[in-house]
Amino acid sequence: MQVFSGIDYIKLDLADHFGLDKANFDKRLIWVESFFDEKEIKTKNTKQLLSILRDVQEQTELELENEPKALGALLAWQDYLNGRPSGYICNKDASASGLQLMSALMKCPVGLNNTGLLGSTDGTNERKDIYTLTYNEYNRIAGKAHVKTRKEVKQCMMTWAYGSKATPTKILGEAGLEHFYHACKLTATGAFHFRNLLLHCWNSEATAHTWINADGYVSHVPVMVENHYTLSVAGVDVPFVLKQQGKSDFGISNAGNLIHGTDAMVLRELVRRCNHKPARIAYIAHLLQQVSDGMDEAHKEAVCASERLKMGNLGTMIQLFEQTGFCSVRICEFITSITDVLQLSSKHRAKLKQILFSMVQHGSFEVCTIHDSFGCTPNKMNYVRYWYKEIIADIVESDLLNFMYKQIHPKHQPAVTQVNPFTKGIADLVRLSDYGLA
């Protein structure tokens, strides 16, 4: 992963506010250094800095998307040049997080690559934008008769991924719909199949869809149906509609809700790995370090399922790892001794040890989250980007999709993905990626 200094992240933020977030990191830094003079920034007052921003906007003809935030980045840069702490929070957003997670759950290298989550062994990672790629494919397939703008294709793709047909049909028409599906299948192959998979697992007898996530949190989504009633007021019948929990023959919400639930799990897990109690994490890492080779071999397998049921939250977290292969550091809340550590399988201990040692190395710091946007002080952004791609790689290596799918499918059918010999290679490339948060 390409790493940067704190001042580099301030400059990247500044470039992003000029709409350059689709460019590679290096190109953004070069652009900033071409149009902004450090000597001027160091000495100007706030009003003069604002004039500099507007002059650059006029000179480049780029749209300044958020002038107050751009000014904040300039002020933080000025603080840096004058040796003052600024308290500035920089942000990096996921590159189409829904499509990223669909691709990760499906172990799809095409979708991961096109959402910035597939690196290369030679370090030549490009900033991919799946919406632009799909827009180009759509117009190539559809031809001149059905040309659409990138904004229109993006709107179609964002709603299509979560099960909608109405919005793509409204924008593209029936004639363009098949061309759009073809384009999506090319640029987001795993997401294309994921969507179809989830649209066909609706349980018409359920009044709610409920599943446990990999960190033990429960997603519960009631099925809401429209019921029509009539109220008589002064002899006049007034019809009205209430949305109430009930059964529905068909619904499309599973596709979106499963991803929203996973998105929230990723957010919680990233915050846990960044903002933790250092002494507690160091203590549990120490306990794991105390497990000798002989102890590890004697406790190779996790405690049996019947015993897990008696262990409360610790047993639940062990069970979740055994079923999904995803290691959540939430288990640290329930480990108190080396006896607890030995209840985990050797595989679970090894993965947890690897994560905790990195947490100790990176330290603890606050993260500000707004959906799939992650903010922190500039000096810590390398660690936020590191943990994001690590968590996505862990999802690729897991059996998380099958685990969730079986919980909501009316016949408890397994999904189509399986951990296979190629999975590790895909996850390794995710760990080399630069643009999961871009």
Side-chain angles (χ1 to χ4, degrees):
M1 185 189 84
Q2 192 175 8
V3 297
F4 299 97
S5 65
I7 187 58
D8 283 340
Y9 279 116
I10 292 173
K11 292 175 183 178
L12 288 170
D13 251 21
L14 185 56
D16 293 349
H17 294 316
F18 276 92
L20 296 173
D21 54 307
K22 304 297 184 292
N24 288 359
F25 289 138
D26 289 337
K27 291 179 180 177
R28 291 181 230 179
L29 290 173
I30 291 169
W31 181 87
V32 169
E33 288 160 7
S34 299
F35 287 98
F36 292 90
D37 185 346
E38 283 195 343
K39 292 179 180 178
E40 282 194 343
I41 293 169
K42 185 175 181 178
T43 58
K44 299 297 184 183
N45 61 34
T46 302
K47 188 174 181 180
Q48 290 169 328
L49 290 177
L50 187 58
S51 295
I52 290 172
L53 281 176
R54 291 171 178 172
D55 288 345
V56 171
Q57 181 183 18
E58 185 177 347
Q59 185 180 352
T60 61
E61 297 184 349
L62 292 173
E63 180 183 356
L64 187 53
E65 296 177 351
N66 194 317
E67 188 175 83
K69 286 188 175 182
L71 179 60
L74 266 189
L75 288 167
W77 190 353
Q78 185 182 74
D79 286 336
Y80 166 81
L81 293 172
N82 288 290
R84 298 189 299 259
S86 68
Y88 181 75
I89 300 295
C90 61
N91 288 274
K92 283 285 167 276
D93 296 355
S95 305
S97 64
L99 295 168
Q100 284 182 336
L101 292 174
M102 291 179 180
S103 301
L105 289 166
M106 294 293 289
K107 313 181 193 311
C108 170
V110 174
L112 289 166
N113 183 47
N114 289 337
T115 55
L117 272 168
L118 211 64
S120 61
T121 54
D122 62 4
T124 56
N125 297 339
E126 289 296 316
R127 166 71 165 103
K128 297 290 183 69
D129 173 35
I130 196 166
Y131 297 120
T132 299
L133 292 168
T134 307
Y135 154 74
N136 290 335
E137 284 295 335
Y138 172 80
N139 284 329
R140 180 186 65 81
I141 295 165
K144 294 181 179 180
H146 300 283
V147 169
K148 296 294 178 181
T149 65
R150 179 190 177 277
K151 184 178 179 180
E152 289 173 319
V153 173
K154 179 180 179 179
Q155 182 63 24
C156 291
M157 198 170 195
M158 290 174 67
T159 53
W160 159 84
Y162 297 134
S164 173
K165 183 181 177 181
T167 298
T169 303
K170 180 180 178 181
I171 294 173
L172 305 173
E174 289 290 347
L177 201 58
E178 287 304 316
H179 302 316
F180 172 70
Y181 289 159
H182 186 185
C184 289
K185 194 172 182 179
L186 290 174
T187 61
T189 310
F192 182 89
H193 293 299
F194 176 95
R195 176 186 181 275
N196 291 340
L197 187 72
L198 269 293
L199 288 181
H200 290 89
C201 72
W202 186 260
N203 186 351
S204 60
E205 293 301 311
T207 59
H209 290 92
T210 304
W211 65 95
I212 303 171
N213 295 281
D215 62 351
Y217 278 58
V218 177
S219 296
H220 178 78
V221 186
V223 176
M224 304 303 291
V225 296
E226 290 187 352
N227 290 322
H228 295 258
Y229 299 95
T230 301
L231 178 66
S232 183
V233 180
V236 178
D237 289 340
V238 180
F240 65 97
V241 177
L242 280 182
K243 278 195 172 183
Q244 297 173 300
Q245 188 171 354
K247 298 178 181 179
S248 176
D249 291 337
F250 177 72
I252 64 172
S253 61
N254 279 345
N257 287 334
L258 206 71
I259 288 301
H260 296 325
T262 305
D263 211 349
M265 188 277 291
V266 169
L267 183 151
R268 292 191 298 269
E269 191 65 20
L270 186 143
V271 171
R272 289 186 193 110
R273 296 187 189 190
C274 294
N275 191 6
H276 53 80
K277 297 178 180 178
R280 174 138 188 90
I281 295 303
Y283 169 68
I284 297 171
H286 171 72
L287 291 179
L288 289 162
Q289 187 75 3
Q290 298 310 301
V291 178
S292 66
D293 291 343
M295 294 165 69
D296 195 53
E297 184 62 31
H299 298 84
K300 190 172 184 178
E301 301 299 327
V303 63
C304 67
S306 59
E307 288 300 313
R308 293 172 206 158
L309 294 174
K310 304 173 187 177
M311 295 168 61
N313 288 325
L314 178 61
T316 298
M317 297 308 298
I318 294 172
Q319 178 76 3
L320 286 169
F321 178 82
E322 294 302 311
Q323 289 182 297
T324 67
F326 183 90
C327 180
S328 170
V329 296
R330 186 177 175 230
I331 194 171
C332 295
E333 298 175 23
F334 314 116
I335 292 175
T336 59
S337 67
I338 197 165
T339 303
D340 291 340
V341 167
L342 292 175
Q343 307 308 307
L344 282 61
S345 66
S346 59
K347 184 178 179 181
H348 196 171
R349 283 193 296 272
K351 182 62 180 179
L352 183 60
K353 181 178 176 181
Q354 176 194 346
I355 294 171
L356 296 191
F357 274 48
S358 291
M359 288 171 64
V360 170
Q361 181 184 2
H362 295 162
S364 177
F365 56 94
E366 291 186 36
V367 182
C368 304
T369 62
I370 305 173
H371 301 295
D372 60 355
S373 176
F374 299 88
C376 65
T377 57
N379 290 334
K380 299 297 184 181
M381 184 52 78
N382 285 326
Y383 302 143
V384 171
R385 290 175 53 228
Y386 169 83
W387 282 124
Y388 187 79
K389 68 178 181 59
E390 287 295 314
I391 292 167
I392 299 297
D394 289 347
I395 290 174
V396 171
E397 290 178 325
S398 76
D399 199 28
L400 190 53
L401 177 56
N402 281 324
F403 173 72
M404 294 187 294
Y405 186 78
K406 283 188 286 186
Q407 295 180 68
I408 62 173
H409 194 285
K411 296 182 180 179
H412 303 287
Q413 293 291 325
V416 296
T417 63
Q418 290 184 346
V419 177
N420 58 62
F422 299 103
T423 302
K424 181 68 167 63
I426 296 170
D428 287 345
L429 289 176
V430 170
R431 292 189 171 98
L432 293 174
S433 66
D434 285 323
Y435 294 101
L437 296 180

